[in-house]
Amino acid sequence: MPELVYPPVIAAAKTMFRVLDLRITVEGAHHVPRSGGAVMAANHVSYLDFIFCGFGAQESGRLVRFMAKQSVFTNRIAGPLMRGMRHIPVDRNAGAASYGAALRALRGGEVVGVFPEATISRSFTVKELKSGSTRMAKAARVPLLPVALWGGQRLWTKGRPRTLTRRHVPITIIVGEPMNPADYPDANVMNADLTERLSALVDRAQREYPDTPAGPDDAWWQPAHLGGSAPTLEEAALLEARGQRVPAADPAADPAADPAG
């Protein structure tokens, strides 16, 4: 089936990058296989993460099919684009169907993108990962790649106004070494290793990031352990537990990464 929608969307995104002069750094792009199925499991700090995660696969010439919540597909503007790019809808009430669709895509040689934290991390540190991405990789017998994303939260994230016209923002994308599911008899052990690897990559991206907050009022995008004013992981969990509204625009608010758990 010809790709009629995805390439123009990528071209539009690259135009946006140039207009805003985003300073995008991609490391480890060679880890994305040029053929065959793979799972890209990324941390989640921004509503734009799917764009940047997908950009990390460009060097290998791959189009990433992201798992995104069903409501995005029913949106009159985003829906046709999501369907045209063959992303995978996630219905909370039909998790098995979403999981099955992702497996079929992987076994058909597609790269599937997942945000195993399920929602944006308010603390900007890696939350507990749902195990669906590792279960999918094991079931489809494809490599699992941890992907660290950093900087996109400065443009658009949960609880902050959109600043999509901000210029010169550095964006860091690090694609980690592939994890071979055959090396992990237990999916839970694999998921624990993914958590450790992803956390290490995100921490490195944060520590090596070329910008620092301009002052106390700008420290919101920096994690607390690096001196920023973002909530700690524990404080962020309390915010979520209190039922803070999740904006409907979040394309990965409830990925079917883990219908089994």
Side-chain angles (χ1 to χ4, degrees), residues 134-185:
T134 54
R135 294 179 188 280
M136 285 193 301
K138 285 185 66 63
R141 299 180 181 179
V142 300
L144 173 64
L145 290 79
V147 182
L149 306 172
W150 189 245
Q153 75 277 14
R154 298 176 67 188
L155 299 172
W156 190 13
T157 192
K158 185 184 294 185
R160 300 289 305 186
R162 281 176 287 186
T163 54
L164 297 178
T165 57
R166 184 190 294 269
R167 293 170 55 80
H168 316 304
V169 174
I171 303 293
T172 302
I173 305 162
I174 305 177
V175 183
E177 295 184 3
M179 301 169 62
N180 183 354
D183 295 336
Y184 300 90

Side-chain angles (χ1 to χ4, degrees), residues 4-5 43 61 66 104 110 135 168 216 238 252:
L4 301 178
V5 178
N43 69 306
F66 286 96
R104 287 192 295 274
E110 298 279 12
R135 294 179 188 280
H168 316 304
L238 286 175

Side-chain angles (χ1 to χ4, degrees), residues 5-21:
V5 178
Y6 219 143
V9 170
I10 291 173
K14 289 181 176 179
T15 298
M16 181 188 73
F17 297 163
R18 288 193 296 271
V19 169
L20 296 179
D21 190 29

Side-chain angles (χ1 to χ4, degrees), residues 77-201:
I77 296 174
L81 291 175
M82 296 295 284
R83 292 189 294 273
M85 289 185 282
R86 302 184 208 162
H87 294 314
I88 302 168
V90 175
D91 185 344
R92 265 185 204 180
N93 299 318
S98 303
Y99 184 82
L103 280 183
R104 287 192 295 274
L106 290 169
R107 289 166 175 162
E110 298 279 12
V111 177
V112 172
V114 179
F115 297 99
E117 293 170 285
T119 59
I120 287 176
S121 171
R122 291 177 182 265
S123 70
F124 304 134
T125 57
V126 177
K127 297 163 55 178
E128 180 180 357
L129 304 187
K130 296 183 179 296
S131 63
S133 56
T134 54
R135 294 179 188 280
M136 285 193 301
K138 285 185 66 63
R141 299 180 181 179
V142 300
L144 173 64
L145 290 79
V147 182
L149 306 172
W150 189 245
Q153 75 277 14
R154 298 176 67 188
L155 299 172
W156 190 13
T157 192
K158 185 184 294 185
R160 300 289 305 186
R162 281 176 287 186
T163 54
L164 297 178
T165 57
R166 184 190 294 269
R167 293 170 55 80
H168 316 304
V169 174
I171 303 293
T172 302
I173 305 162
I174 305 177
V175 183
E177 295 184 3
M179 301 169 62
N180 183 354
D183 295 336
Y184 300 90
D186 188 331
N188 291 325
V189 172
M190 186 177 183
N191 200 57
D193 195 12
L194 172 63
T195 301
E196 184 175 330
R197 293 185 186 210
L198 186 57
S199 298
L201 289 175

